[in-house]
Amino acid sequence: MIDPTSPGAPRELGRAESLNLLGSVGVGRVVFTHQALPTIRPVNHVLHDGCVIVRTHPGAALLSAIGTVVAYEADFIHEGDRIAWSVIAIGYARRVGAREPWLAGEWTEVIRIDPELVTGFALDGDDELPADLPA
């Protein structure tokens, strides 16, 4: 069993810190059900008033998630320093509306995820890996 107080152990993040980190990056993954199967799509996002805002094109599979519970995950990994974090926001996906084209000739569908549950974990680095790890 891993000792949660040992160097390099995951540290649980609070809601405010998790949302702050989520807002510091612009790309993540939305997890939803499409045609009865789990589906994951990478998307750009912004954080606005504590909600995750994503955009997609008309006809995208992600639009089937409107009105359902989805998960949104974003992370950051810096291999050299062994620093990383991951945040997951779970909530209902709602259509905000269509906006001006973001790609030539295509209207953008805008989706807001209202997070009801936000969890996050961080790795704050580790001087070195144990020498006795199995090969």
Side-chain angles (χ1 to χ4, degrees), residues 41-95:
R41 293 288 190 272
V43 292
N44 296 315
H45 76 269
V46 295
L47 199 66
H48 180 72
D49 290 337
C51 294
V52 178
I53 309 295
V54 300
R55 57 188 184 180
T56 190
H57 62 88
L62 178 55
L63 294 175
S64 69
I66 300 295
T68 68
V69 174
V70 300
Y72 191 81
E73 191 271 343
D75 52 39
F76 171 82
I77 299 170
H78 190 273
E79 293 277 347
D81 293 330
R82 296 190 181 135
I83 295 172
W85 59 261
S86 177
V87 171
I88 299 173
I90 299 173
Y92 282 92
R94 304 189 195 301
R95 176 181 274 127

Side-chain angles (χ1 to χ4, degrees), residues 6-132:
S6 68
R11 174 176 60 88
E12 190 166 1
L13 305 172
R15 182 182 179 97
E17 185 177 7
S18 293
L19 287 173
N20 186 47
L21 289 170
L22 187 60
S24 74
V25 297
V27 177
R29 288 155 294 283
V30 63
V31 181
F32 60 102
T33 302
H34 182 65
Q35 298 178 347
L37 295 172
T39 305
I40 303 170
R41 293 288 190 272
V43 292
N44 296 315
H45 76 269
V46 295
L47 199 66
H48 180 72
D49 290 337
C51 294
V52 178
I53 309 295
V54 300
R55 57 188 184 180
T56 190
H57 62 88
L62 178 55
L63 294 175
S64 69
I66 300 295
T68 68
V69 174
V70 300
Y72 191 81
E73 191 271 343
D75 52 39
F76 171 82
I77 299 170
H78 190 273
E79 293 277 347
D81 293 330
R82 296 190 181 135
I83 295 172
W85 59 261
S86 177
V87 171
I88 299 173
I90 299 173
Y92 282 92
R94 304 189 195 301
R95 176 181 274 127
V96 174
R99 297 290 188 252
E100 292 295 321
W102 121 69
L103 296 174
E106 290 190 27
W107 282 85
T108 300
E109 295 281 347
V110 180
I111 299 170
R112 182 184 76 230
I113 302 168
D114 298 310
E116 294 182 21
L117 176 63
V118 178
T119 59
F121 288 90
L123 296 174
D124 294 325
D126 186 8
D127 291 337
E128 58 185 66
L129 292 173
D132 60 348

